[in-house]
Amino acid sequence: MILVAGDVDFFVEEEARKVLDHLVTEGAEVLRFDEEASAEAVSDALLNRSLFSPRRVVQLDVSRLLGTSSPGTLFEQALEGWERGGPAGRKQAYRAVRSLLSALGSSAGGNPEELAEAVGKRLRRREGVEVLAEILRELPEEKGSGPGVLPALRALLQKSRPNDGVVALLTATAPPAGAGLAGEIEGRGLLVWASVGDDAAGALARLARQRAKDRDVTIDPDAIDRLRQATDEKPELFAAELGRLIQWAGPGGQIRAADVGESVEDEASEDLYKL
């Protein structure tokens, strides 16, 4: 079992692809499950060897199982996805809201307006509460694996039975440090932390270009540099501000350096002021 975790999902996915390239050999079987997969299907894949290949790699995002240390980011992702619209945007919004509720120890159900208001108060966010209520009203009944997969993961981790060539490749964004399953995996030395590495400028530029491309937005190179400086190259802050700028630009829009200067508070300047 290998857990790839990090503060920004883009870099988690990048690192997971690298790990997968190392794991997958000729003829290896790769099974990828999303959050809508049933617990039975995921557990069966984890606990039974492949019938056709010497190795089976089971890829699964476990962010909701582990929880997260950044509910504010999930709130932003939900609003961004809903604003984006379409099947992909709605899927992002639903996924972020479910993770947000899990992080706050809440669950869907009851009055959407009251739940949205309660979430807004806990996060000290007034803007976006009405949109959150709208998402909650439309949120489909959950049919995914959720906690039902946890026993299979623990069985695999504890090696209560011989490993028949099954490798669980798990991903998680901003999990709480050293808690629960994440702590057990880390204790066995099977945690890979995804970060920007030594080339922060290049990594953040990749993130900006890809996110802009996904949303049909043009972002100028000077705007990326300005955003890096304004956020002091802090990946999570960079990603959050980038998401707001892309949402502001909208499909077919453009982000210029001047737009960054007008809408993003300069983190580096704030640090210098405090000093």
Side-chain angles (χ1 to χ4, degrees):
M1 183 182 299
I2 301 171
L3 172 63
V4 180
D7 292 325
V8 180
D9 58 355
F10 177 83
F11 299 117
V12 171
E13 292 165 6
E14 267 197 343
E15 192 63 36
R17 284 194 293 271
K18 295 177 185 177
V19 174
L20 184 62
D21 288 342
H22 284 292
L23 291 175
V24 175
T25 57
E26 186 176 353
E29 179 185 42
V30 179
L31 300 179
R32 295 182 177 88
F33 293 97
D34 61 22
E35 60 181 7
E36 298 301 326
S38 69
E40 292 77 10
V42 178
S43 298
D44 181 73
L46 289 168
L47 299 177
N48 295 286
R49 63 172 299 165
S50 172
L51 297 177
F52 311 103
S53 304
R55 170 176 287 178
R56 167 181 286 177
V57 180
V58 180
Q59 196 167 2
L60 179 70
D61 186 274
V62 294
S63 296
R64 289 178 56 213
L65 282 176
L66 303 182
T68 179
S69 58
S70 56
T73 300
L74 293 171
F75 185 89
E76 292 291 344
Q77 290 174 354
L79 300 186
E80 178 189 343
W82 199 251
E83 177 70 20
R84 177 183 170 193
R90 282 178 171 262
K91 183 176 181 180
Q92 174 186 327
Y94 294 149
R95 180 177 182 178
V97 164
R98 287 181 177 131
S99 297
L100 172 61
L101 295 178
S102 177
L104 297 177
S106 302
S107 60
N111 187 294
E113 286 74 19
E114 293 179 359
L115 180 56
E117 188 69 27
V119 170
K121 286 182 179 179
R122 290 191 62 178
L123 298 181
R124 297 183 180 180
R125 297 288 303 272
R126 297 188 63 84
E127 296 182 359
V129 169
E130 293 182 1
V131 177
L132 178 60
E134 185 177 350
I135 299 172
L136 289 168
R137 283 194 295 271
E138 300 291 333
L139 188 67
E141 182 180 352
E142 189 172 9
K143 299 179 181 178
S145 53
V149 176
L150 195 56
L153 290 173
R154 290 195 182 278
L156 196 63
L157 180 64
Q158 295 170 4
K159 296 183 178 180
S160 56
R161 59 188 215 161
N163 186 313
D164 290 326
V166 177
V167 179
L169 177 55
L170 312 177
T171 55
T173 302
L181 182 65
E184 295 174 33
I185 297 173
E186 184 177 5
R188 292 180 178 271
L190 298 174
L191 172 66
V192 179
W193 189 260
S195 65
V196 296
D198 296 331
D199 183 17
L204 295 176
R206 287 199 311 277
L207 165 62
R209 289 193 295 267
Q210 187 60 53
R211 289 279 171 84
K213 180 181 178 181
D214 291 343
R215 306 297 190 270
D216 191 26
V217 171
T218 301
I219 183 167
D220 295 346
D222 290 347
I224 298 176
D225 291 339
R226 185 74 176 267
L227 185 57
R228 282 196 304 104
Q229 296 168 8
T231 58
D232 203 19
E233 293 191 339
K234 297 177 180 177
E236 192 172 5
L237 181 58
F238 180 94
E241 295 293 353
L242 174 66
R244 280 191 277 272
L245 285 166
I246 289 175
Q247 185 177 358
W248 164 81
Q254 183 176 6
I255 301 173
R256 302 177 177 85
D259 301 323
V260 177
E262 291 174 1
S263 61
V264 179
E265 185 176 354
D266 194 326
E267 183 78 6
S269 297
E270 285 296 314
D271 290 343
L272 182 60
Y273 176 77
K274 291 176 183 177
L275 178 64

mmCIF file of all heavy atoms in Angstrom, residues 227-244:
data_model
loop_
_atom_site.group_PDB
_atom_site.id
_atom_site.type_symbol
_atom_site.label_atom_id
_atom_site.label_comp_id
_atom_site.label_asym_id
_atom_site.label_seq_id
_atom_site.Cartn_x
_atom_site.Cartn_y
_atom_site.Cartn_z
ATOM 1 N N LEU A 227 1.507 36.222 -9.823
ATOM 2 C CA LEU A 227 0.778 35.442 -8.831
ATOM 3 C C LEU A 227 1.733 34.662 -7.929
ATOM 4 O O LEU A 227 1.498 34.535 -6.722
ATOM 5 C CB LEU A 227 -0.192 34.484 -9.530
ATOM 6 C CG LEU A 227 -1.128 33.670 -8.635
ATOM 7 C CD1 LEU A 227 -1.977 34.587 -7.756
ATOM 8 C CD2 LEU A 227 -2.023 32.762 -9.472
ATOM 9 N N ARG A 228 2.813 34.153 -8.497
ATOM 10 C CA ARG A 228 3.826 33.458 -7.680
ATOM 11 C C ARG A 228 4.388 34.397 -6.631
ATOM 12 O O ARG A 228 4.549 34.028 -5.467
ATOM 13 C CB ARG A 228 4.963 32.949 -8.564
ATOM 14 C CG ARG A 228 4.668 31.698 -9.345
ATOM 15 C CD ARG A 228 5.963 31.063 -9.860
ATOM 16 N NE ARG A 228 6.763 31.965 -10.671
ATOM 17 C CZ ARG A 228 7.863 32.580 -10.258
ATOM 18 N NH1 ARG A 228 8.310 32.407 -9.033
ATOM 19 N NH2 ARG A 228 8.538 33.387 -11.075
ATOM 20 N N GLN A 229 4.713 35.601 -7.056
ATOM 21 C CA GLN A 229 5.298 36.582 -6.132
ATOM 22 C C GLN A 229 4.284 37.003 -5.069
ATOM 23 O O GLN A 229 4.618 37.120 -3.888
ATOM 24 C CB GLN A 229 5.790 37.793 -6.920
ATOM 25 C CG GLN A 229 6.927 37.486 -7.890
ATOM 26 C CD GLN A 229 7.197 38.606 -8.858
ATOM 27 O OE1 GLN A 229 6.640 39.702 -8.739
ATOM 28 N NE2 GLN A 229 8.040 38.347 -9.849
ATOM 29 N N ALA A 230 3.042 37.225 -5.502
ATOM 30 C CA ALA A 230 2.016 37.702 -4.575
ATOM 31 C C ALA A 230 1.686 36.666 -3.507
ATOM 32 O O ALA A 230 1.351 37.018 -2.370
ATOM 33 C CB ALA A 230 0.751 38.072 -5.344
ATOM 34 N N THR A 231 1.782 35.388 -3.852
ATOM 35 C CA THR A 231 1.464 34.316 -2.899
ATOM 36 C C THR A 231 2.714 33.750 -2.242
ATOM 37 O O THR A 231 2.639 32.752 -1.516
ATOM 38 C CB THR A 231 0.707 33.180 -3.605
ATOM 39 O OG1 THR A 231 1.498 32.683 -4.690
ATOM 40 C CG2 THR A 231 -0.627 33.667 -4.139
ATOM 41 N N ASP A 232 3.856 34.370 -2.507
ATOM 42 C CA ASP A 232 5.124 33.940 -1.915
ATOM 43 C C ASP A 232 5.424 32.469 -2.236
ATOM 44 O O ASP A 232 6.038 31.767 -1.435
ATOM 45 C CB ASP A 232 5.092 34.153 -0.395
ATOM 46 C CG ASP A 232 6.505 34.267 0.194
ATOM 47 O OD1 ASP A 232 7.453 34.538 -0.573
ATOM 48 O OD2 ASP A 232 6.655 34.071 1.408
ATOM 49 N N GLU A 233 4.944 32.022 -3.404
ATOM 50 C CA GLU A 233 5.159 30.653 -3.897
ATOM 51 C C GLU A 233 4.648 29.593 -2.922
ATOM 52 O O GLU A 233 5.168 28.477 -2.865
ATOM 53 C CB GLU A 233 6.626 30.400 -4.238
ATOM 54 C CG GLU A 233 7.121 31.207 -5.427
ATOM 55 C CD GLU A 233 8.480 30.756 -5.929
ATOM 56 O OE1 GLU A 233 9.225 30.112 -5.155
ATOM 57 O OE2 GLU A 233 8.805 31.049 -7.087
ATOM 58 N N LYS A 234 3.610 29.933 -2.170
ATOM 59 C CA LYS A 234 2.970 28.949 -1.295
ATOM 60 C C LYS A 234 1.936 28.193 -2.131
ATOM 61 O O LYS A 234 0.934 28.781 -2.554
ATOM 62 C CB LYS A 234 2.308 29.637 -0.102
ATOM 63 C CG LYS A 234 3.306 30.357 0.804
ATOM 64 C CD LYS A 234 2.609 31.094 1.926
ATOM 65 C CE LYS A 234 3.620 31.803 2.813
ATOM 66 N NZ LYS A 234 2.960 32.600 3.886
ATOM 67 N N PRO A 235 2.156 26.900 -2.384
ATOM 68 C CA PRO A 235 1.323 26.166 -3.347
ATOM 69 C C PRO A 235 -0.174 26.229 -3.070
ATOM 70 O O PRO A 235 -0.971 26.457 -3.983
ATOM 71 C CB PRO A 235 1.849 24.728 -3.238
ATOM 72 C CG PRO A 235 3.253 24.881 -2.773
ATOM 73 C CD PRO A 235 3.235 26.051 -1.844
ATOM 74 N N GLU A 236 -0.577 26.023 -1.811
ATOM 75 C CA GLU A 236 -2.004 26.000 -1.504
ATOM 76 C C GLU A 236 -2.632 27.371 -1.724
ATOM 77 O O GLU A 236 -3.732 27.487 -2.283
ATOM 78 C CB GLU A 236 -2.231 25.532 -0.065
ATOM 79 C CG GLU A 236 -3.670 25.195 0.240
ATOM 80 C CD GLU A 236 -3.834 24.564 1.611
ATOM 81 O OE1 GLU A 236 -2.844 24.472 2.348
ATOM 82 O OE2 GLU A 236 -4.964 24.174 1.929
ATOM 83 N N LEU A 237 -1.934 28.424 -1.313
ATOM 84 C CA LEU A 237 -2.442 29.779 -1.512
ATOM 85 C C LEU A 237 -2.462 30.126 -2.997
ATOM 86 O O LEU A 237 -3.411 30.745 -3.493
ATOM 87 C CB LEU A 237 -1.566 30.769 -0.734
ATOM 88 C CG LEU A 237 -1.963 32.247 -0.817
ATOM 89 C CD1 LEU A 237 -3.389 32.446 -0.312
ATOM 90 C CD2 LEU A 237 -0.984 33.099 -0.014
ATOM 91 N N PHE A 238 -1.407 29.728 -3.711
ATOM 92 C CA PHE A 238 -1.330 29.966 -5.154
ATOM 93 C C PHE A 238 -2.521 29.310 -5.853
ATOM 94 O O PHE A 238 -3.200 29.921 -6.688
ATOM 95 C CB PHE A 238 -0.019 29.405 -5.700
ATOM 96 C CG PHE A 238 0.179 29.593 -7.179
ATOM 97 C CD1 PHE A 238 0.883 30.688 -7.671
ATOM 98 C CD2 PHE A 238 -0.325 28.672 -8.091
ATOM 99 C CE1 PHE A 238 1.069 30.866 -9.040
ATOM 100 C CE2 PHE A 238 -0.150 28.833 -9.449
ATOM 101 C CZ PHE A 238 0.554 29.929 -9.932
ATOM 102 N N ALA A 239 -2.806 28.047 -5.512
ATOM 103 C CA ALA A 239 -3.900 27.319 -6.154
ATOM 104 C C ALA A 239 -5.249 27.959 -5.831
ATOM 105 O O ALA A 239 -6.127 28.049 -6.702
ATOM 106 C CB ALA A 239 -3.880 25.858 -5.705
ATOM 107 N N ALA A 240 -5.429 28.414 -4.588
ATOM 108 C CA ALA A 240 -6.698 29.026 -4.195
ATOM 109 C C ALA A 240 -6.932 30.338 -4.944
ATOM 110 O O ALA A 240 -8.027 30.593 -5.469
ATOM 111 C CB ALA A 240 -6.710 29.260 -2.687
ATOM 112 N N GLU A 241 -5.901 31.185 -4.999
ATOM 113 C CA GLU A 241 -6.034 32.465 -5.700
ATOM 114 C C GLU A 241 -6.199 32.249 -7.198
ATOM 115 O O GLU A 241 -6.959 32.951 -7.864
ATOM 116 C CB GLU A 241 -4.814 33.355 -5.427
ATOM 117 C CG GLU A 241 -4.662 33.793 -3.978
ATOM 118 C CD GLU A 241 -5.773 34.734 -3.533
ATOM 119 O OE1 GLU A 241 -6.596 35.152 -4.371
ATOM 120 O OE2 GLU A 241 -5.821 35.059 -2.330
ATOM 121 N N LEU A 242 -5.493 31.259 -7.730
ATOM 122 C CA LEU A 242 -5.631 30.933 -9.153
ATOM 123 C C LEU A 242 -7.066 30.519 -9.457
ATOM 124 O O LEU A 242 -7.647 30.939 -10.473
ATOM 125 C CB LEU A 242 -4.666 29.805 -9.521
ATOM 126 C CG LEU A 242 -4.781 29.242 -10.945
ATOM 127 C CD1 LEU A 242 -4.390 30.299 -11.965
ATOM 128 C CD2 LEU A 242 -3.904 27.995 -11.092
ATOM 129 N N GLY A 243 -7.657 29.702 -8.597
ATOM 130 C CA GLY A 243 -9.035 29.277 -8.800
ATOM 131 C C GLY A 243 -10.000 30.448 -8.823
ATOM 132 O O GLY A 243 -10.913 30.502 -9.654
ATOM 133 N N ARG A 244 -9.787 31.421 -7.940
ATOM 134 C CA ARG A 244 -10.662 32.590 -7.915
ATOM 135 C C ARG A 244 -10.499 33.433 -9.180
ATOM 136 O O ARG A 244 -11.480 33.945 -9.727
ATOM 137 C CB ARG A 244 -10.378 33.417 -6.670
ATOM 138 C CG ARG A 244 -11.039 32.868 -5.416
ATOM 139 C CD ARG A 244 -10.960 33.850 -4.266
ATOM 140 N NE ARG A 244 -9.685 33.755 -3.585
ATOM 141 C CZ ARG A 244 -9.441 32.923 -2.576
ATOM 142 N NH1 ARG A 244 -10.368 32.093 -2.171
ATOM 143 N NH2 ARG A 244 -8.259 32.901 -1.985
#
